[in-house]
């Protein structure tokens, strides 16, 4: 499952939902080259994994509050939320296999 989140619905769509199922948040921006590489990789893995996790995407240009709250200094920044908190994270684009391995090891 994939959703777009904003500063307004982040608490409900990420924090609260992560108490039921892991939520992988992709902090990105449209001008970011590595974000455009990583985005489709995350989309593909989310579709292949079924309902093992929710992929949430948040545009940091339009929604700076949560980017600042979670110390996003560089994008793409991917954070895995479990039980309402950040369980793990990585920064930057990686090859598909590395991203898939990272996600599956943490679910």
């Amino acid at each position: 499952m994939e959703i777009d989140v904003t500063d307004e619905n982040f608490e409900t769509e990420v924090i609260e939902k992560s108490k039921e199922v892991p939520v992988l948040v992709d902090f990105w921006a449209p001008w970011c080259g590595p974000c455009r590489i990583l985005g489709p990789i995350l989309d593909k893995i989310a579709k292949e994994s079924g309902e093992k996790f929710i992929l949430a995407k948040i545009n940091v240009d339009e929604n700076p509050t949560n980017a600042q709250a979670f110390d996003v200094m560089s994008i793409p920044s991917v954070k895995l939320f479990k039980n309402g908190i950040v369980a793990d994270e990585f920064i930057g684009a990686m090859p598909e296999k590395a991203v898939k391995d990272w996600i599956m090891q943490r679910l």
Side-chain angles (χ1 to χ4, degrees), residues 2-81:
E2 180 181 325
I3 58 173
D4 288 319
V5 294
T6 64
D7 283 339
E8 289 75 32
N9 68 5
F10 194 90
E11 180 73 25
T12 303
E13 296 296 326
V14 175
I15 304 300
E16 292 305 316
K17 284 189 179 177
S18 75
K19 295 175 182 175
E20 299 167 15
V21 62
V23 179
L24 190 70
V25 180
D26 177 18
F27 290 87
W28 70 284
W31 51 264
C32 167
C35 297
R36 291 196 309 265
I37 294 168
L38 183 62
I41 292 170
L42 293 173
D43 296 343
K44 181 180 178 192
I45 294 168
K47 285 179 183 141
E48 290 173 352
S49 72
E51 297 184 14
K52 291 182 182 173
F53 69 94
I54 295 170
L55 174 60
K57 297 186 170 215
I58 185 164
N59 180 329
V60 298
D61 287 344
E62 295 173 357
N63 302 282
T65 302
N66 280 294
Q68 291 171 347
F70 291 99
D71 297 322
V72 173
M73 303 294 228
S74 181
I75 55 173
S77 182
V78 177
K79 298 181 186 288
L80 179 64
F81 286 77

Coordinates of all heavy atoms in Angstrom, one line a residue, residues 2-81:
E2 N 0.5 2.2 -0.8 CA 1.2 3.5 -0.9 C 0.3 4.7 -0.6 O -0.8 4.7 -1.2 CB 1.9 3.6 -2.2 CG 2.7 4.8 -2.4 CD 3.3 4.9 -3.8 OE1 3.7 3.9 -4.4 OE2 3.4 6.1 -4.3
I3 N 0.8 5.6 0.2 CA 0.0 6.8 0.4 C 0.9 8.1 0.4 O 2.1 8.0 0.6 CB -0.7 6.8 1.8 CG1 0.3 6.6 3.0 CG2 -1.8 5.7 1.9 CD1 -0.3 6.6 4.4
D4 N 0.3 9.2 0.1 CA 0.9 10.5 0.2 C 0.5 11.1 1.5 O -0.7 11.1 1.9 CB 0.5 11.4 -1.0 CG 1.1 11.0 -2.3 OD1 2.3 10.6 -2.3 OD2 0.4 11.1 -3.3
V5 N 1.5 11.6 2.3 CA 1.2 12.2 3.5 C 1.6 13.7 3.6 O 2.5 14.1 2.8 CB 1.8 11.4 4.7 CG1 1.2 10.1 4.9 CG2 3.3 11.3 4.6
T6 N 1.0 14.4 4.5 CA 1.3 15.8 4.6 C 1.6 16.1 6.1 O 1.5 15.2 6.9 CB 0.1 16.7 4.2 OG1 -1.0 16.4 5.1 CG2 -0.3 16.4 2.8
D7 N 2.1 17.3 6.4 CA 2.3 17.6 7.8 C 1.0 17.5 8.6 O 1.0 17.1 9.8 CB 2.8 19.1 7.9 CG 4.3 19.2 7.6 OD1 5.0 18.2 7.6 OD2 4.7 20.3 7.3
E8 N -0.2 17.8 7.9 CA -1.4 17.7 8.6 C -1.9 16.3 9.0 O -2.5 16.1 10.0 CB -2.5 18.4 7.8 CG -2.4 19.9 7.7 CD -1.3 20.4 6.7 OE1 -0.9 19.7 5.7 OE2 -0.6 21.4 7.1
N9 N -1.6 15.3 8.1 CA -2.1 14.0 8.4 C -1.0 13.0 8.8 O -1.2 11.8 9.0 CB -2.9 13.4 7.3 CG -2.1 13.1 6.0 OD1 -0.9 13.3 6.0 ND2 -2.8 12.8 4.9
F10 N 0.2 13.5 9.0 CA 1.4 12.6 9.4 C 1.1 11.8 10.7 O 1.4 10.6 10.7 CB 2.6 13.5 9.5 CG 3.9 12.7 9.6 CD1 4.6 12.4 8.4 CD2 4.4 12.2 10.7 CE1 5.8 11.7 8.4 CE2 5.6 11.5 10.8 CZ 6.3 11.2 9.6
E11 N 0.6 12.5 11.7 CA 0.3 11.8 13.0 C -0.6 10.6 12.8 O -0.3 9.5 13.3 CB -0.3 12.8 14.0 CG -0.5 12.2 15.3 CD 0.7 12.0 16.2 OE1 1.7 12.6 16.0 OE2 0.6 11.1 17.0
T12 N -1.7 10.8 12.0 CA -2.6 9.7 11.8 C -2.1 8.7 10.9 O -2.2 7.5 11.2 CB -3.9 10.3 11.2 OG1 -4.4 11.3 12.1 CG2 -5.0 9.3 11.1
E13 N -1.6 9.1 9.7 CA -1.2 8.2 8.7 C 0.1 7.4 8.9 O 0.3 6.4 8.4 CB -1.2 8.9 7.3 CG -2.5 9.4 6.9 CD -3.5 8.4 6.6 OE1 -3.2 7.3 6.2 OE2 -4.7 8.6 6.9
V14 N 1.0 8.0 9.7 CA 2.3 7.4 9.9 C 2.4 6.9 11.4 O 2.5 5.7 11.6 CB 3.5 8.4 9.6 CG1 4.8 7.7 10.0 CG2 3.5 8.7 8.1
I15 N 2.3 7.8 12.3 CA 2.6 7.5 13.7 C 1.5 6.5 14.2 O 1.9 5.4 14.7 CB 2.6 8.7 14.6 CG1 3.6 9.8 14.1 CG2 2.8 8.3 16.1 CD1 5.0 9.3 14.1
E16 N 0.3 6.8 14.0 CA -0.8 5.9 14.5 C -0.8 4.6 13.8 O -0.9 3.5 14.4 CB -2.2 6.6 14.5 CG -2.3 7.7 15.5 CD -2.0 7.3 16.9 OE1 -2.4 6.2 17.4 OE2 -1.2 8.0 17.6
K17 N -0.7 4.6 12.4 CA -0.8 3.4 11.6 C 0.4 2.5 11.9 O 0.3 1.3 11.8 CB -0.9 3.7 10.2 CG -2.3 4.1 9.8 CD -2.5 4.2 8.3 CE -3.9 4.6 8.0 NZ -4.2 4.8 6.5
S18 N 1.6 3.1 12.3 CA 2.7 2.3 12.5 C 2.6 1.4 13.8 O 3.4 0.5 14.0 CB 4.0 3.2 12.6 OG 4.1 3.9 13.9
K19 N 1.6 1.7 14.6 CA 1.3 0.9 15.8 C 0.6 -0.4 15.4 O 0.5 -1.4 16.2 CB 0.5 1.7 16.8 CG 1.3 2.9 17.3 CD 0.4 3.7 18.2 CE 1.2 4.9 18.7 NZ 0.4 5.9 19.5
E20 N 0.1 -0.5 14.1 CA -0.6 -1.7 13.6 C 0.3 -2.4 12.5 O 0.3 -3.6 12.5 CB -1.9 -1.3 13.0 CG -2.8 -0.7 14.0 CD -4.0 0.0 13.3 OE1 -4.3 -0.3 12.1 OE2 -4.7 0.8 14.0
V21 N 0.9 -1.6 11.7 CA 1.7 -2.2 10.6 C 2.9 -1.2 10.3 O 2.8 0.0 10.5 CB 0.9 -2.4 9.3 CG1 0.3 -1.0 8.8 CG2 1.7 -3.1 8.2
P22 N 4.1 -1.7 10.0 CA 5.2 -0.8 9.8 C 4.9 0.2 8.7 O 4.3 -0.2 7.7 CB 6.4 -1.8 9.4 CG 6.0 -3.1 10.0 CD 4.5 -3.1 9.9
V23 N 5.4 1.4 8.8 CA 5.2 2.4 7.8 C 6.6 2.9 7.4 O 7.4 3.4 8.2 CB 4.4 3.6 8.4 CG1 4.2 4.7 7.3 CG2 3.0 3.1 8.8
L24 N 6.9 2.8 6.1 CA 8.1 3.3 5.6 C 7.9 4.6 4.9 O 7.1 4.8 4.0 CB 8.6 2.3 4.5 CG 10.0 2.5 3.9 CD1 11.0 2.1 5.0 CD2 10.2 1.6 2.7
V25 N 8.6 5.7 5.5 CA 8.3 7.0 5.0 C 9.5 7.5 4.1 O 10.7 7.4 4.5 CB 8.2 8.0 6.2 CG1 7.9 9.4 5.7 CG2 7.0 7.6 7.1
D26 N 9.2 7.9 2.9 CA 10.1 8.4 1.9 C 10.0 10.0 2.0 O 9.0 10.5 1.5 CB 9.8 7.9 0.6 CG 10.7 8.4 -0.5 OD1 11.8 9.0 -0.2 OD2 10.3 8.3 -1.7
F27 N 11.0 10.6 2.6 CA 11.1 12.1 2.6 C 11.8 12.5 1.3 O 12.9 12.1 1.1 CB 11.9 12.6 3.8 CG 11.2 12.4 5.1 CD1 11.3 11.2 5.8 CD2 10.4 13.4 5.6 CE1 10.7 11.0 7.0 CE2 9.8 13.2 6.9 CZ 9.9 12.0 7.6
W28 N 11.1 13.2 0.4 CA 11.6 13.5 -1.0 C 11.3 14.9 -1.4 O 10.5 15.6 -0.7 CB 11.1 12.4 -2.0 CG 9.6 12.7 -2.2 CD1 8.6 12.3 -1.4 CD2 9.0 13.3 -3.3 NE1 7.4 12.7 -1.9 CE2 7.6 13.3 -3.1 CE3 9.5 13.9 -4.5 CZ2 6.7 13.9 -4.0 CZ3 8.7 14.4 -5.4 CH2 7.3 14.4 -5.1
A29 N 11.8 15.3 -2.6 CA 11.4 16.5 -3.2 C 11.5 16.3 -4.7 O 12.3 15.5 -5.2 CB 12.3 17.7 -2.8
P30 N 10.6 17.0 -5.5 CA 10.6 16.8 -7.0 C 11.9 17.1 -7.7 O 12.2 16.6 -8.7 CB 9.4 17.6 -7.5 CG 8.8 18.3 -6.3 CD 9.6 17.9 -5.1
W31 N 12.7 18.1 -7.2 CA 13.9 18.5 -7.8 C 15.1 17.6 -7.5 O 16.2 17.8 -8.1 CB 14.2 19.9 -7.4 CG 14.2 20.1 -5.9 CD1 13.2 20.6 -5.1 CD2 15.2 19.8 -4.9 NE1 13.5 20.5 -3.8 CE2 14.7 20.0 -3.6 CE3 16.5 19.2 -5.0 CZ2 15.5 19.8 -2.5 CZ3 17.3 19.0 -3.9 CH2 16.7 19.3 -2.6
C32 N 14.9 16.6 -6.6 CA 16.0 15.8 -6.1 C 16.2 14.6 -7.1 O 15.4 13.7 -7.2 CB 15.6 15.3 -4.7 SG 16.6 14.0 -4.1
G33 N 17.3 14.6 -7.8 CA 17.7 13.5 -8.7 C 17.7 12.1 -8.0 O 17.0 11.2 -8.5
P34 N 18.4 11.9 -6.9 CA 18.4 10.6 -6.3 C 17.0 10.2 -5.8 O 16.7 9.0 -5.8 CB 19.3 10.8 -5.1 CG 20.3 11.9 -5.5 CD 19.4 12.8 -6.3
C35 N 16.1 11.2 -5.5 CA 14.8 10.9 -5.0 C 14.0 10.2 -6.2 O 13.2 9.3 -6.0 CB 14.0 12.1 -4.6 SG 14.7 12.9 -3.1
R36 N 14.3 10.8 -7.4 CA 13.6 10.2 -8.6 C 14.1 8.9 -9.0 O 13.4 8.1 -9.6 CB 13.7 11.2 -9.8 CG 13.0 12.5 -9.5 CD 12.8 13.3 -10.8 NE 14.0 13.6 -11.5 CZ 14.8 14.6 -11.4 NH1 14.5 15.6 -10.6 NH2 15.9 14.8 -12.1
I37 N 15.3 8.5 -8.5 CA 15.8 7.2 -8.7 C 15.2 6.2 -7.7 O 14.7 5.1 -8.0 CB 17.3 7.2 -8.7 CG1 17.9 7.9 -9.8 CG2 17.9 5.7 -8.6 CD1 19.4 8.2 -9.7
L38 N 15.2 6.6 -6.4 CA 14.7 5.8 -5.3 C 13.2 5.6 -5.3 O 12.8 4.5 -5.0 CB 15.2 6.4 -4.0 CG 14.9 5.5 -2.8 CD1 15.6 4.2 -2.8 CD2 15.3 6.3 -1.5
G39 N 12.5 6.6 -5.7 CA 11.0 6.5 -5.6 C 10.4 5.3 -6.3 O 9.7 4.6 -5.7
P40 N 10.7 5.1 -7.6 CA 10.2 4.0 -8.3 C 10.6 2.6 -7.7 O 9.9 1.6 -7.7 CB 10.7 4.1 -9.7 CG 11.0 5.6 -9.9 CD 11.5 6.0 -8.5
I41 N 11.8 2.6 -7.1 CA 12.3 1.3 -6.5 C 11.4 1.1 -5.2 O 11.0 -0.1 -5.0 CB 13.8 1.5 -6.1 CG1 14.7 1.5 -7.3 CG2 14.2 0.3 -5.1 CD1 16.1 1.9 -7.0
L42 N 11.2 2.1 -4.4 CA 10.3 1.9 -3.3 C 8.9 1.5 -3.7 O 8.3 0.6 -3.1 CB 10.3 3.2 -2.4 CG 11.6 3.5 -1.7 CD1 11.5 4.9 -1.1 CD2 12.0 2.5 -0.7
D43 N 8.4 2.1 -4.7 CA 7.0 1.8 -5.3 C 6.9 0.3 -5.6 O 6.0 -0.4 -5.3 CB 6.7 2.6 -6.5 CG 6.6 4.1 -6.2 OD1 6.5 4.5 -5.0 OD2 6.6 4.9 -7.2
K44 N 7.9 -0.2 -6.4 CA 8.0 -1.5 -6.8 C 8.0 -2.5 -5.6 O 7.2 -3.5 -5.6 CB 9.2 -1.8 -7.7 CG 9.2 -3.2 -8.3 CD 10.4 -3.3 -9.2 CE 10.5 -4.8 -9.7 NZ 11.8 -5.1 -10.3
I45 N 8.9 -2.2 -4.7 CA 9.0 -3.1 -3.5 C 7.7 -3.1 -2.7 O 7.3 -4.2 -2.2 CB 10.2 -2.7 -2.7 CG1 11.5 -2.9 -3.4 CG2 10.2 -3.5 -1.3 CD1 12.7 -2.3 -2.8
A46 N 7.1 -2.0 -2.5 CA 5.8 -1.9 -1.8 C 4.7 -2.7 -2.5 O 4.0 -3.4 -1.8 CB 5.4 -0.4 -1.7
K47 N 4.7 -2.6 -3.8 CA 3.7 -3.4 -4.5 C 3.9 -4.9 -4.4 O 3.0 -5.7 -4.2 CB 3.6 -3.0 -6.0 CG 3.0 -1.7 -6.2 CD 3.0 -1.3 -7.7 CE 2.3 0.1 -7.8 NZ 3.0 1.0 -8.7
E48 N 5.2 -5.3 -4.5 CA 5.6 -6.7 -4.4 C 5.3 -7.3 -3.0 O 5.1 -8.5 -2.9 CB 7.0 -6.9 -4.8 CG 7.3 -6.7 -6.3 CD 8.8 -6.7 -6.6 OE1 9.6 -6.7 -5.6 OE2 9.1 -6.7 -7.8
S49 N 5.4 -6.5 -2.0 CA 5.4 -7.0 -0.6 C 4.0 -7.1 -0.1 O 3.7 -7.6 1.0 CB 6.2 -6.1 0.3 OG 5.5 -4.9 0.5
G50 N 3.0 -6.7 -0.9 CA 1.6 -6.8 -0.4 C 1.3 -5.9 0.7 O 1.6 -4.7 0.6
E51 N 0.9 -6.4 1.8 CA 0.5 -5.6 3.0 C 1.5 -5.7 4.1 O 1.1 -5.5 5.3 CB -0.9 -6.0 3.4 CG -1.9 -5.6 2.3 CD -3.4 -5.9 2.7 OE1 -3.6 -6.0 3.9 OE2 -4.2 -5.9 1.8
K52 N 2.7 -6.1 3.8 CA 3.7 -6.2 4.9 C 4.1 -4.8 5.5 O 4.5 -4.7 6.7 CB 5.0 -6.8 4.4 CG 4.8 -8.3 4.1 CD 6.1 -8.9 3.6 CE 5.9 -10.4 3.2 NZ 7.1 -10.9 2.6
F53 N 3.9 -3.8 4.7 CA 4.2 -2.4 5.2 C 3.5 -1.4 4.4 O 3.0 -1.7 3.3 CB 5.7 -2.1 5.3 CG 6.4 -2.0 3.9 CD1 6.5 -0.7 3.3 CD2 6.9 -3.1 3.3 CE1 7.1 -0.6 2.1 CE2 7.5 -3.0 2.0 CZ 7.6 -1.7 1.4
I54 N 3.3 -0.2 4.9 CA 2.7 0.9 4.1 C 3.9 1.8 3.7 O 4.8 2.1 4.5 CB 1.8 1.7 5.0 CG1 0.6 0.9 5.4 CG2 1.3 3.0 4.3 CD1 -0.3 1.5 6.5
L55 N 3.9 2.2 2.5 CA 4.8 3.2 1.9 C 4.2 4.6 2.0 O 3.2 4.8 1.3 CB 5.3 2.8 0.5 CG 6.2 3.8 -0.2 CD1 7.5 4.1 0.6 CD2 6.5 3.4 -1.6
A56 N 4.7 5.5 2.7 CA 4.2 6.8 2.8 C 5.2 7.8 2.2 O 6.4 7.7 2.6 CB 3.9 7.2 4.3
K57 N 4.8 8.7 1.4 CA 5.7 9.6 0.7 C 5.3 11.0 1.2 O 4.1 11.4 1.2 CB 5.6 9.5 -0.8 CG 6.1 8.1 -1.3 CD 6.1 8.1 -2.8 CE 6.8 6.8 -3.2 NZ 7.6 7.0 -4.4
I58 N 6.3 11.8 1.5 CA 6.1 13.2 2.0 C 7.1 14.1 1.3 O 8.3 13.9 1.3 CB 6.1 13.3 3.5 CG1 5.8 14.7 3.9 CG2 7.5 12.9 4.1 CD1 5.4 14.9 5.4
N59 N 6.5 15.1 0.6 CA 7.3 16.1 -0.1 C 7.8 17.1 0.9 O 7.0 17.8 1.5 CB 6.4 16.7 -1.2 CG 7.1 17.8 -2.0 OD1 8.0 18.5 -1.5 ND2 6.7 18.0 -3.2
V60 N 9.1 17.2 1.1 CA 9.7 18.0 2.1 C 9.5 19.5 1.8 O 9.5 20.3 2.7 CB 11.1 17.7 2.5 CG1 11.2 16.3 3.0 CG2 12.0 17.8 1.3
D61 N 9.4 19.9 0.5 CA 9.3 21.3 0.2 C 7.9 21.8 0.6 O 7.7 22.9 1.1 CB 9.4 21.5 -1.3 CG 10.9 21.4 -1.8 OD1 11.8 21.5 -0.9 OD2 11.1 21.2 -3.0
E62 N 6.9 20.9 0.4 CA 5.5 21.3 0.7 C 5.2 21.0 2.2 O 4.2 21.6 2.7 CB 4.5 20.5 -0.2 CG 4.7 20.9 -1.6 CD 3.8 20.0 -2.5 OE1 3.2 19.1 -2.0 OE2 3.8 20.3 -3.8
N63 N 6.0 20.2 2.9 CA 5.7 19.8 4.2 C 6.9 19.8 5.1 O 7.5 18.7 5.4 CB 5.0 18.3 4.2 CG 3.8 18.3 3.4 OD1 2.7 18.7 3.8 ND2 3.9 17.8 2.2
P64 N 7.5 20.9 5.4 CA 8.7 21.0 6.1 C 8.7 20.7 7.6 O 9.7 20.3 8.2 CB 9.2 22.5 5.9 CG 7.9 23.2 5.8 CD 6.9 22.3 5.1
T65 N 7.5 20.7 8.2 CA 7.4 20.5 9.7 C 7.9 19.2 10.1 O 8.8 19.1 11.0 CB 6.0 20.8 10.1 OG1 5.6 22.1 9.8 CG2 5.9 20.6 11.7
N66 N 7.4 18.1 9.5 CA 7.9 16.8 9.9 C 9.3 16.4 9.4 O 10.0 15.7 10.1 CB 6.9 15.7 9.4 CG 5.7 15.7 10.3 OD1 5.8 15.3 11.5 ND2 4.5 16.1 9.8
A67 N 9.7 17.0 8.3 CA 11.1 16.9 7.9 C 12.0 17.4 9.0 O 13.0 16.8 9.3 CB 11.3 17.5 6.5
Q68 N 11.7 18.6 9.5 CA 12.5 19.2 10.6 C 12.4 18.4 11.9 O 13.3 18.1 12.5 CB 12.1 20.6 10.8 CG 12.4 21.5 9.7 CD 11.8 22.9 9.8 OE1 10.9 23.2 10.6 NE2 12.3 23.8 9.0
A69 N 11.1 17.9 12.2 CA 10.9 17.2 13.4 C 11.7 15.9 13.5 O 12.1 15.5 14.5 CB 9.4 16.9 13.6
F70 N 11.9 15.3 12.3 CA 12.6 14.0 12.2 C 14.0 14.1 11.7 O 14.6 13.2 11.2 CB 11.8 13.0 11.5 CG 10.6 12.6 12.2 CD1 9.3 13.1 11.9 CD2 10.6 11.7 13.3 CE1 8.2 12.8 12.6 CE2 9.5 11.3 14.0 CZ 8.3 11.9 13.6
D71 N 14.6 15.4 11.8 CA 16.0 15.7 11.5 C 16.4 15.2 10.1 O 17.5 14.7 9.9 CB 16.9 15.0 12.5 CG 16.7 15.6 13.9 OD1 16.5 16.8 14.0 OD2 16.8 14.8 14.9
V72 N 15.5 15.5 9.1 CA 15.9 15.2 7.7 C 16.8 16.3 7.2 O 16.4 17.4 7.1 CB 14.6 15.1 6.8 CG1 15.0 14.9 5.4 CG2 13.8 13.9 7.3
M73 N 18.1 15.9 7.1 CA 19.1 16.9 6.6 C 19.5 16.7 5.2 O 20.0 17.6 4.5 CB 20.4 16.8 7.5 CG 20.1 16.9 8.9 SD 19.6 18.6 9.3 CE 20.7 18.9 10.7
S74 N 19.2 15.5 4.6 CA 19.5 15.2 3.3 C 18.4 14.3 2.7 O 17.8 13.5 3.4 CB 20.9 14.5 3.2 OG 21.2 14.2 1.9
I75 N 18.1 14.5 1.4 CA 17.1 13.6 0.8 C 17.7 12.9 -0.4 O 18.6 13.4 -1.0 CB 15.8 14.4 0.4 CG1 16.2 15.6 -0.5 CG2 15.1 14.8 1.7 CD1 15.0 16.3 -1.0
P76 N 17.1 11.7 -0.8 CA 16.0 11.1 -0.1 C 16.5 10.5 1.3 O 17.6 10.1 1.5 CB 15.7 9.9 -1.0 CG 17.0 9.6 -1.8 CD 17.7 11.0 -1.9
S77 N 15.5 10.6 2.2 CA 15.7 10.1 3.5 C 14.5 9.1 3.8 O 13.4 9.5 3.6 CB 15.7 11.2 4.6 OG 16.0 10.7 5.8
V78 N 14.8 7.9 4.1 CA 13.8 6.9 4.3 C 13.8 6.4 5.8 O 14.9 6.0 6.3 CB 14.0 5.7 3.4 CG1 13.0 4.6 3.6 CG2 14.0 6.1 1.9
K79 N 12.7 6.5 6.4 CA 12.6 6.1 7.8 C 11.5 5.1 8.0 O 10.4 5.2 7.5 CB 12.3 7.4 8.7 CG 13.4 8.4 8.6 CD 13.1 9.6 9.5 CE 14.2 10.7 9.2 NZ 15.5 10.5 9.8
L80 N 11.8 4.0 8.8 CA 10.9 3.0 9.0 C 10.3 3.2 10.4 O 11.0 3.2 11.4 CB 11.5 1.6 9.0 CG 10.6 0.4 9.3 CD1 9.5 0.3 8.2 CD2 11.4 -0.9 9.4
F81 N 9.0 3.4 10.5 CA 8.3 3.7 11.7 C 7.6 2.4 12.2 O 6.9 1.7 11.4 CB 7.2 4.7 11.6 CG 7.8 6.1 11.5 CD1 8.3 6.6 10.3 CD2 7.7 7.0 12.6 CE1 8.8 7.9 10.2 CE2 8.2 8.3 12.5 CZ 8.8 8.7 11.3

